[in-house]
């Protein structure tokens, strides 16, 4: 039995020769991240006598591994699982950072909202490329258009939290650039058909 978007699950059940080859880069990727985590912890212990600053890279390395391991292991088939891991672990990651910087400004009020907007945008882009898998130029064009309301949502959120202006000239310039890129890719898509 095979599942839609379940390439990693199916390969884990029936890895075969191809699955074994795909797993090879995942092992050094995991080992390198683990070594980096351990080295920072050992240095921290030898200098401070306890774990202090090394908890930041350790938490970040764990987050990177959770998000990119499915992609390294399964390539394009792992993008769905990488996005899922990103969506599920982003807020806990920010909460962990927030706990580590106790006594300083909290990053959750801003970071949490930005994380939700960013994850939603990535899922939309992923869906566009899945829907137009044979017309990637069109998917890029619509993604550029989608980025405009995404940027506006970020600005509105920051304005509500920090009291900064919703739009300035740099925002308008970025919207113009995105619209121009979108039109360019639309034309390239029409030409390629």
């Amino acid at each position: 039995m095979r599942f839609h978007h379940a390439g990693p699950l199916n390969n884990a059940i029936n890895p075969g020769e191809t699955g074994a080859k795909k797993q090879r880069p995942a092992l050094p990727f995991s080992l390198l991240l683990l070594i980096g985590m351990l080295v920072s912890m050992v240095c921290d212990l030898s200098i401070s006598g306890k774990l202090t600053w090394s908890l930041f890279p350790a938490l970040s390395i764990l987050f990177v591994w959770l998000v990119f391991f499915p992609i390294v292991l399964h390539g394009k088939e792992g993008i769905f699982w990488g996005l899922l891991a990103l969506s599920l672990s982003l807020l806990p990651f920010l909460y962990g950072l927030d706990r580590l910087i106790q006594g300083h400004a909290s990053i959750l009020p801003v970071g949490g909202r930005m994380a939700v907007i960013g994850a939603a945008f990535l899922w939309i882009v992923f869906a566009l490329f899945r829907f137009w898998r044979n017309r990637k130029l069109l998917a890029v064009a619509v993604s550029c258009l989608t980025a405009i309301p995404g940027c506006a949502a970020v600005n509105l959120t920051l304005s509500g939290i920090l009291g900064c202006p919703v739009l300035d000239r740099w925002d308008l310039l970025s919207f113009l650039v995105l619209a121009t890129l979108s039109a360019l890719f639309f034309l390239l898509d029409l030409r390629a058909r």
Side-chain angles (χ1 to χ4, degrees):
M1 181 177 182
R2 299 185 72 84
F3 302 92
H4 183 58
H5 283 318
L9 177 61
N10 292 320
N11 288 340
I13 297 172
N14 299 301
E17 185 177 350
T18 304
K21 288 181 180 179
K22 286 183 177 181
Q23 291 173 14
R24 288 173 187 168
L27 181 60
F29 171 75
S30 301
L31 287 176
L32 283 173
L33 291 181
L34 179 61
I35 290 171
M37 182 188 297
L38 291 177
V39 167
S40 64
M41 286 182 168
V42 169
C43 292
D44 193 13
L45 285 171
S46 63
I47 295 172
S48 307
K50 60 180 181 178
L51 296 178
T52 55
W53 57 265
S54 63
L55 294 176
F56 288 95
L59 182 62
S60 301
I61 287 171
L62 178 60
F63 174 72
V64 168
W65 184 85
L66 286 172
V67 173
F68 287 99
F69 181 76
I71 301 173
V72 174
L73 184 61
H74 297 287
K76 291 181 179 179
E77 293 180 0
I79 293 176
F80 171 84
W81 299 99
L83 276 176
L84 184 62
L86 175 69
S87 303
L88 295 177
S89 60
L90 193 50
L91 288 178
F93 169 68
L94 292 175
Y95 175 76
L97 288 180
D98 205 55
R99 295 290 295 175
L100 290 176
I101 57 173
Q102 293 181 47
H104 301 278
S106 175
I107 62 173
L108 270 180
V110 176
R113 290 171 173 83
M114 297 301 104
V116 172
I117 295 172
F121 173 74
L122 289 177
W123 276 111
I124 291 171
V125 172
F126 174 77
L128 291 173
F129 275 87
R130 292 289 296 180
F131 185 74
W132 284 305
R133 65 182 66 193
N134 297 321
R135 297 181 64 184
K136 290 183 172 57
L137 291 173
L138 180 59
V140 173
V142 180
S143 297
C144 289
L145 277 183
T146 307
I148 295 176
C151 292
V154 168
N155 289 346
L156 284 170
T157 304
L158 289 176
S159 177
I161 298 173
L162 304 177
C164 54
V166 176
L167 291 175
D168 58 25
R169 58 186 178 182
W170 295 110
D171 295 316
L172 297 176
L173 178 62
S174 66
F175 293 165
L176 179 61
V177 170
L178 288 169
T180 303
L181 288 174
S182 178
L184 174 62
F185 282 106
F186 268 124
L187 292 174
L188 290 174
D189 175 73
L190 289 175
R191 187 176 179 181
R193 293 187 67 185

